[in-house]
Amino acid sequence: MARHQTEILIIGSGLAGLATALKLSDRFEVTVLAKEKAISTNTSWAQGGIAAVMSKSDSFDQHVQDTLVAGAGLCHKYVVENIVRQAPDRIQDLLKWGAQLNVNDLTREGGHSERRILHFEDHTGSHLQEVLLQAVYKNPKIKIIENTLAIDLILNKQLNPWDMSSTKCVGAYVLDRSTGSVDTYQAQEIILATGGAGKVYRYTSNWSGATGDGIAMAYRAGARVANLEFMQFHPTCLYHPEARNFLISEALRGEGGELVNSHGEAFMKKYHHLGSLAPRDIVARSIDAEMKRTGAPSVYLDMSKLAKNFIETRFPAIHEKCLSFGIDMSQQPIPVVPAAHYLCGGVVSSVSGETDLQSLWVIGETACTGLHGANRLASNSLLECLAMAHNCAKLLTEKGLHPISSGTPPEWVHPTQKDDDEMIVIHHMWDEIRNLMWNYVGIVRSTKRLLRARQRLKNILLEVKENYSQFQIHSDIIELRNIAIVAQLSVECALKRHESRGIHYNLDYPFPSLENETILSPESPAAPGQDTILLRGLFSS
Ligand code: FAD
Ligand code: SIN
């Protein structure tokens, strides 16, 4: 077992982690952990782009308003204002780090009243990931360590049980995947930038590591989580037996693509006056309804109104990917289905990433700041990563770091017993959770289905706990424990919300109501507001 020390520990190498590292490296020494390769992130998969007010015809007020409308009454306006108003400066940061974004070529996506999405062709995310990684590799103050999977956070009381001060995070236990040893990383400030949790669902647009680790770790350590019922389903993922997790960007609809059903009928106007460019929750539900009505396994995105040449130059990656499956999108409609895409809830945090625990910060998709409310506006999440990174670095630079806690974390103790048969059981549990979340906690919910999910998850969690404590630790069981906890927390959040709002739609409560808007959180000044569902202590390891 190795012991590491650093001033700032950032867990995650996506846009949130790398932007925070670059901003902090002016003053501090930073270590960044990535559970696989540094490039393996949801960031790398982002397609559409980043929202920012860049044109004369647009305004901050309009961007704020579009975000609030999409968020269906649960956004925190001061957070939205803070993030939207700094967007042009954050774009300048990206340009300074080497990104090639054409500020005059703005595209449009669902829910935006203006063209305000900056993009790099149709693979903005992989471009940004590459650019920021290059900047990080050149920076002597940042050390990036791949194949390091954080298991749990270390708290001050684990260093000294007689420490009566408030709970403070002092580091993390981390599995070194190349050696199998569990090492400790101690730091003055710990920043979770671990991304989302799409893998909790059977069908998702997310990369394989999106298992909600940061949310589960923070929750186990005692931080509140909020709004986990708001899993956003992207309306259009490629439907093909061999295509796993491939997104068909909303920008295609922004440029004129139209959704049609299996009979070739454009159906979206039936559901919303904005047609195919309606907000994401409405499009996903309409597709779901249309598939159920026609009995077809998918709907289609028709790009035939656009010139072949435009399609090939504007959407080269998507065009090529579709061709690899025998679909020429300039000639034939693309089969698409909705899939779990973005978790609007997360660890309760301020707009600078502060959490309930001292020295624990959270940035990016892992956080719940109040920007997205009950439904995220397209292309606001990359922006949130950058704005939070900036705010967090500014605050830490102004306030200075907490002193390093004295004492040594206890060694990680875990059974060394291996059981290959158990691996099969673990894989079954993965499938069971992901299937039940898709079937019972999906686009359209009911109380009966949610209660069924709660009951099944209760039993699965007992089995996970048993497995976790009896066998040698490895990444599959660590991630399984995390998806199980995030699934359970999502179901509890969904059951508490006795209304339909944004992306949470329950047949038993089909309308929005004011009922759930006054849940109070008096315990913490970091809590962003009064309308979030807060959970703590359902499952401890
Ligand atoms: P990620 O980029 O997912 O990075 C997470 C990091 O955490 C990884 O390095 C991972 O290794 C690390 N990690 C996780 N757990 C652990 C652990 N236990 N130990 C160590 N490391 C860990 N948003 C937009 O605004 N515009 C778009 O166009 C857009 N398109 C998208 C397209 C797709 C297909 C997807 C999936 C998402 C898209 N999004 C888009 C959403 C956006 O990409 C993400 O919300 C954003 O990139 C999240 O960044 P992040 O840094 O928070 O997390
Ligand atoms: C997309 O390109 O459709 C994804 C945009 C987003 O999730 O913000």
Side-chain angles (χ1 to χ4, degrees):
M1 170 188 168
R3 294 185 184 278
H4 305 264
Q5 263 197 20
T6 177
E7 284 182 327
I8 296 177
L9 177 68
I10 299 181
I11 305 176
S13 64
L15 187 62
L18 297 185
T20 312
L22 286 165
K23 289 259 165 184
L24 284 166
S25 64
D26 288 347
R27 286 277 303 276
F28 307 111
E29 167 210 298
V30 184
T31 300
V32 178
L33 306 183
K35 67 173 162 180
E36 293 184 19
K37 293 237 175 273
I39 205 154
S40 302
T41 61
N42 264 354
T43 298
S44 286
W45 289 29
Q47 293 183 350
I50 306 185
V53 171
M54 304 299 285
S55 80
K56 288 215 173 76
S57 60
D58 200 1
S59 70
F60 290 135
D61 286 346
Q62 261 177 281
H63 189 179
V64 167
Q65 191 55 26
D66 291 345
T67 304
L68 296 177
V69 169
L74 284 194
C75 297
H76 299 273
K77 194 166 180 221
Y78 67 94
V79 171
V80 179
E81 294 269 0
N82 176 293
I83 291 178
V84 161
R85 285 179 185 278
Q86 60 174 295
D89 290 340
R90 301 292 69 86
I91 299 298
Q92 290 308 316
D93 288 342
L94 288 177
L95 298 177
K96 191 186 81 194
W97 290 325
Q100 291 168 34
L101 300 170
N102 181 349
V103 298
N104 298 313
D105 176 19
L106 304 172
T107 192
R108 202 178 156 190
E109 287 178 337
H112 287 274
S113 57
E114 270 290 327
R115 284 189 167 261
R116 64 166 75 96
I117 319 293
L118 291 109
H119 61 99
F120 182 87
E121 296 179 343
D122 58 348
H123 50 103
T124 313
S126 60
H127 173 65
L128 296 183
Q129 182 78 46
E130 187 61 41
V131 163
L132 264 72
L133 268 178
Q134 288 313 320
V136 161
Y137 288 138
K138 281 190 213 134
N139 190 317
K141 301 284 284 296
I142 307 174
K143 189 162 150 193
I144 187 154
I145 314 179
E146 297 183 325
N147 280 316
T148 44
L149 174 65
I151 305 170
D152 263 320
L153 297 169
I154 304 173
L155 303 178
N156 51 342
K157 291 179 174 59
Q158 285 166 274
L159 301 192
N160 174 7
W162 284 270
D163 186 344
M164 296 301 161
S165 59
S166 56
T167 308
K168 181 179 175 211
C169 186
V170 299
Y173 286 109
V174 176
L175 174 71
D176 179 335
R177 296 173 70 153
S178 41
T179 63
S181 80
V182 177
D183 302 337
T184 59
Y185 283 76
Q186 246 181 296
Q188 288 167 261
E189 309 292 336
I190 293 88
I191 300 175
L192 288 170
T194 47
K199 285 289 280 188
V200 169
Y201 283 84
R202 175 166 176 196
Y203 300 111
T204 176
S205 66
N206 288 194
W207 84 288
S208 59
T211 48
D213 298 1
I215 295 169
M217 279 192 281
Y219 180 71
R220 287 195 292 267
R224 288 164 307 150
V225 296
N227 288 358
L228 297 178
E229 72 278 35
F230 295 120
M231 168 59 81
Q232 182 175 68
F233 293 85
H234 196 292
T236 57
C237 281
L238 182 60
Y239 176 72
H240 187 279
E242 280 151 44
R244 288 169 50 123
N245 313 18
F246 189 72
L247 189 79
I248 303 293
S249 175
E250 200 153 303
L252 271 71
R253 280 176 280 136
E255 298 296 351
E258 181 130 43
L259 286 164
V260 297
N261 64 21
S262 51
H263 307 304
E265 299 155 352
F267 57 86
M268 271 312 301
K269 277 267 158 64
K270 224 168 47 184
Y271 297 95
H272 196 275
H273 69 278
L274 289 174
S276 293
L277 264 190
R280 229 170 240 189
D281 56 323
I282 293 164
V283 182
R285 269 201 301 279
S286 309
I287 293 177
D288 187 65
E290 208 64 18
M291 282 163 53
K292 283 181 180 143
R293 194 180 66 77
T294 59
S298 75
V299 294
Y300 296 85
L301 186 63
D302 181 5
M303 299 294 290
S304 60
K305 280 194 207 125
L306 296 146
K308 185 173 169 59
N309 185 37
F310 175 77
I311 291 176
E312 283 170 3
T313 48
R314 174 65 184 84
F315 301 112
I318 296 173
H319 180 253
E320 201 179 305
K321 187 75 170 187
C322 286
L323 271 186
S324 75
F325 293 114
I327 304 161
D328 181 349
M329 65 191 255
S330 65
Q331 306 295 322
Q332 62 193 114
I334 312 167
V336 289
V337 283
H341 181 61
Y342 183 90
L343 189 54
C344 295
V347 180
V348 172
S349 88
S350 73
V351 71
S352 304
E354 297 152 286
T355 70
D356 291 338
L357 306 190
Q358 223 185 80
S359 293
L360 180 68
W361 304 72
V362 57
I363 311 280
E365 193 169 338
T366 314
C368 179
T369 58
L371 172 67
H372 309 304
N375 183 23
R376 175 180 66 102
L377 183 67
S379 288
N380 265 357
S381 48
L382 294 176
L383 172 60
E384 185 182 41
C385 292
L386 294 171
M388 289 189 82
H390 176 81
N391 293 346
C392 169
K394 186 162 175 281
L395 197 60
L396 273 174
T397 306
E398 281 162 12
K399 283 189 2 186
L401 309 184
H402 287 98
I404 191 105
S405 299
S406 58
T408 316
E411 275 211 23
W412 179 265
V413 186
H414 217 90
T416 49
Q417 190 186 343
K418 260 188 176 167
D419 184 341
D420 289 340
D421 275 356
E422 278 312 304
M423 281 313 291
I424 299 168
V425 176
I426 285 169
H427 289 145
H428 284 167
M429 284 193 274
W430 265 89
D431 289 346
E432 227 178 318
I433 294 171
R434 298 184 66 207
N435 282 333
L436 83 83
M437 288 300 284
W438 184 258
N439 292 329
Y440 302 145
V441 199
I443 297 171
V444 176
R445 300 158 181 187
S446 73
T447 304
K448 195 170 162 196
R449 283 183 219 162
L450 291 173
L451 288 171
R452 196 173 287 164
R454 172 195 266 171
Q455 188 56 37
R456 299 208 174 162
L457 278 165
K458 197 172 149 197
N459 297 335
I460 296 173
L461 271 156
L462 288 173
E463 283 178 51
V464 170
K465 214 168 168 180
E466 198 177 299
N467 258 277
Y468 185 81
S469 55
Q470 282 178 2
F471 297 103
Q472 193 181 41
I473 193 110
H474 54 82
S475 53
D476 279 343
I477 183 79
I478 295 169
E479 291 180 337
L480 174 68
R481 180 169 77 135
N482 292 334
I483 64 161
I485 291 170
V486 174
Q488 188 197 33
L489 295 173
S490 305
V491 170
E492 292 308 318
C493 283
L495 277 166
K496 273 175 181 273
R497 188 166 290 287
H498 292 173
E499 61 166 353
S500 288
R501 182 179 291 278
I503 40 191
H504 172 74
Y505 186 75
N506 184 336
L507 290 166
D508 296 308
Y509 303 98
F511 302 108
S513 88
L514 292 180
E515 200 177 328
N516 272 3
E517 292 215 309
T518 50
I519 292 177
L520 301 177
S521 52
E523 13 171 351
S524 166
Q530 303 183 335
D531 51 7
T532 35
I533 291 172
L534 302 163
L535 291 166
R536 173 185 249 164
L538 286 176
F539 183 94
S540 63
S541 53

